[in-house]
Amino acid sequence: MMNEIDLTKVDLEKPFMAGLMDGMPGGFFVYRGDETKKIIYANQKLLDIFDCDTWDEFVELTGGTFIGMVYARDRMIVHDYVRRARESGRTSGVTNYRIHTKKGVFKYVQNYANFVNDYVEGGLVYVFIAAARSTHDRLTGLPSMLNFLD
């Protein structure tokens, strides 16, 4: 019989947890749910999505904040989505937006967020992020056929 690991007692600073987060199939990060939206954790896959090799490169590119991750033209859309979600009392949600990577590439991503109230840290947002299908035609800026059909 295998020994089970009690995940409620796992120290987040231990290599097991770092390996677990880096082994996820997409980007994962945690940011403060206050006005700063400061990112307090990001796995290596998130850095890879942004074409960054190090945490310092990622912070330089994004300012180390969630809002800094979002392409400037999409920030109001994301801000409105978060505001509406909070006003309606939802604690989780999915949204799409664009990012601008260190290499200058624009990517569409899908963001799966869960808002939590941590007794020690206060409001936090746990986010899984993955590549999303393009919602708009790159040439014309019009909705893509798949987006139109949806």
Side-chain angles (χ1 to χ4, degrees):
M1 182 174 197
M2 291 181 57
N3 290 336
E4 292 185 25
I5 298 172
D6 182 357
L7 292 178
T8 64
K9 297 179 181 168
V10 173
D11 184 349
L12 291 175
E13 299 299 318
K14 301 240 174 169
F16 168 79
M17 287 306 291
L20 180 67
M21 295 298 141
D22 283 339
M24 293 184 78
F28 178 77
F29 63 101
V30 179
Y31 71 89
R32 297 205 179 279
D34 60 16
E35 65 281 346
T36 68
K37 301 197 181 340
K38 180 180 177 186
I39 298 171
I40 60 173
Y41 174 81
N43 71 354
Q44 184 59 48
K45 292 236 174 46
L46 182 73
L47 302 183
D48 294 344
I49 289 169
F50 280 85
D51 297 325
C52 294
D53 294 323
T54 66
W55 170 255
D56 291 338
E57 287 177 357
F58 176 74
V59 169
E60 183 178 331
L61 179 68
T62 65
T65 67
F66 168 63
I67 212 64
M69 289 174 46
V70 179
Y71 177 55
R73 292 185 179 175
D74 292 349
R75 288 179 184 162
M76 189 54 69
I77 295 166
V78 172
H79 176 73
D80 286 345
Y81 175 82
V82 170
R83 181 186 50 77
R84 284 191 314 271
R86 290 201 174 157
E87 287 173 356
S88 70
R90 287 183 293 167
T91 58
S92 62
V94 178
T95 187
N96 294 327
Y97 53 87
R98 293 172 290 178
I99 63 169
H100 193 218
T101 73
K102 181 181 170 198
K103 292 181 179 177
V105 175
F106 289 96
K107 295 180 181 178
Y108 284 91
V109 295
Q110 193 160 47
N111 186 58
Y112 303 86
N114 190 38
F115 307 96
V116 298
N117 190 17
D118 184 272
Y119 294 109
V120 175
E121 296 291 331
L124 297 175
V125 183
Y126 292 63
V127 183
F128 177 78
I129 188 171
R133 67 178 184 204
S134 177
T135 59
H136 289 78
D137 181 273
R138 289 183 184 188
L139 179 62
T140 65
L142 297 171
S144 67
M145 184 57 75
L146 288 173
N147 188 31
F148 176 78
L149 293 173
D150 281 348

